[in-house]
Amino acid sequence: MERRYLILEMLKKSKTPVKGKDLAEYFDVSRQIIVSDIAQLREEGHKIVSTRDGYVYDAGNKVRKVVAVKHSAKDIYDELKRIVENGGKVLDVIVEHPLYGEITGRIDVSTLDEVEKFVSLLMSSGTKPLSEISNGIHLHTIEAPDEESMARILKALKKYRLNKEEDVNNE
């Protein structure tokens, strides 16, 4: 079907997520048709990710690592900021729950603006971050364009952790 491949090309070329609503308006079809088209593209093996901001094509040529961190809820902004400022994207947060096992929540932030929106939504919603389930201990899946960027991100996180430990020891 022609529309599906036009959607695929739009997603591949877009630098930002594309909302399903916008695709539906562009192609003059319902949102459900777009959801069906995306599902069929995925079945064909195309890596299309749904984020809260829309659909994103995942070219798959990035470096990914899962990193363990520990901090309080008030440090979420600083942690995410360090990652995106060094060229990374935070895909998710993973915590271990004593009853349910591993719980994963999508974050999908790669810019400072997205970090600010995420933290603002967290604060305004009145909910607690998943990391509170595990006393601040959690994992993040981080994506970077290359190994050099990933090394910069890991160095920034290590430096941040060491500075936090120093602050605690000086109290």
Side-chain angles (χ1 to χ4, degrees):
M1 175 172 243
E2 182 74 20
R3 181 183 59 246
R4 278 201 311 266
Y5 297 105
L6 291 172
I7 290 170
L8 183 61
E9 287 308 307
M10 289 173 80
L11 295 177
K12 285 180 176 180
K13 291 177 182 175
S14 181
K15 302 270 191 236
T16 60
V18 180
K19 294 187 181 300
K21 175 182 76 80
D22 295 340
L23 290 169
E25 287 174 7
Y26 182 83
F27 290 105
D28 196 27
V29 296
S30 70
R31 174 79 173 88
Q32 289 76 21
I33 298 280
I34 297 299
V35 170
S36 175
D37 287 344
I38 296 293
Q40 289 176 0
L41 287 166
R42 286 176 174 153
E43 283 179 25
E44 293 173 12
H46 300 287
K47 294 183 179 172
I48 300 172
V49 179
S50 298
T51 73
R52 73 180 151 275
D53 294 321
Y55 295 111
V56 177
Y57 181 78
D58 181 3
N61 56 351
K62 309 247 182 356
V63 176
R64 284 189 180 172
K65 290 206 187 296
V66 176
V67 297
V69 289
K70 179 182 181 183
H71 59 72
S72 66
K74 67 182 176 77
D75 296 321
I76 291 173
Y77 176 81
D78 290 334
E79 175 190 68
L80 297 176
K81 178 182 171 195
R82 276 167 180 67
I83 294 168
V84 303
E85 283 182 336
N86 285 283
K89 177 176 185 175
V90 183
L91 301 176
D92 58 28
V93 59
I94 305 164
V95 296
E96 187 68 30
H97 189 276
L99 179 60
Y100 300 111
E102 194 174 90
I103 298 174
T104 303
R106 291 200 67 78
I107 295 181
D108 285 318
V109 297
S110 59
T111 67
L112 196 50
D113 186 50
E114 290 171 345
V115 168
E116 289 170 1
K117 284 180 188 175
F118 177 81
V119 172
S120 176
L121 181 60
L122 175 65
M123 298 304 170
S124 68
S125 69
T127 59
K128 297 191 185 294
L130 280 178
S131 59
E132 286 200 9
I133 292 172
S134 53
N135 296 318
I137 300 168
H138 57 285
L139 304 171
H140 284 301
T141 307
I142 299 174
E143 185 177 82
D146 50 48
E147 290 289 348
E148 183 179 314
S149 298
M150 183 60 75
R152 247 189 350 266
I153 292 164
L154 297 176
K155 184 177 178 181
L157 287 174
K158 183 176 182 179
K159 182 177 178 183
Y160 178 66
R161 187 185 79 239
L162 292 173
N163 287 341
K164 292 299 292 176
E165 289 173 4
E166 190 176 294
D167 290 346
V168 169
N169 292 335
N170 288 334
E171 291 180 352

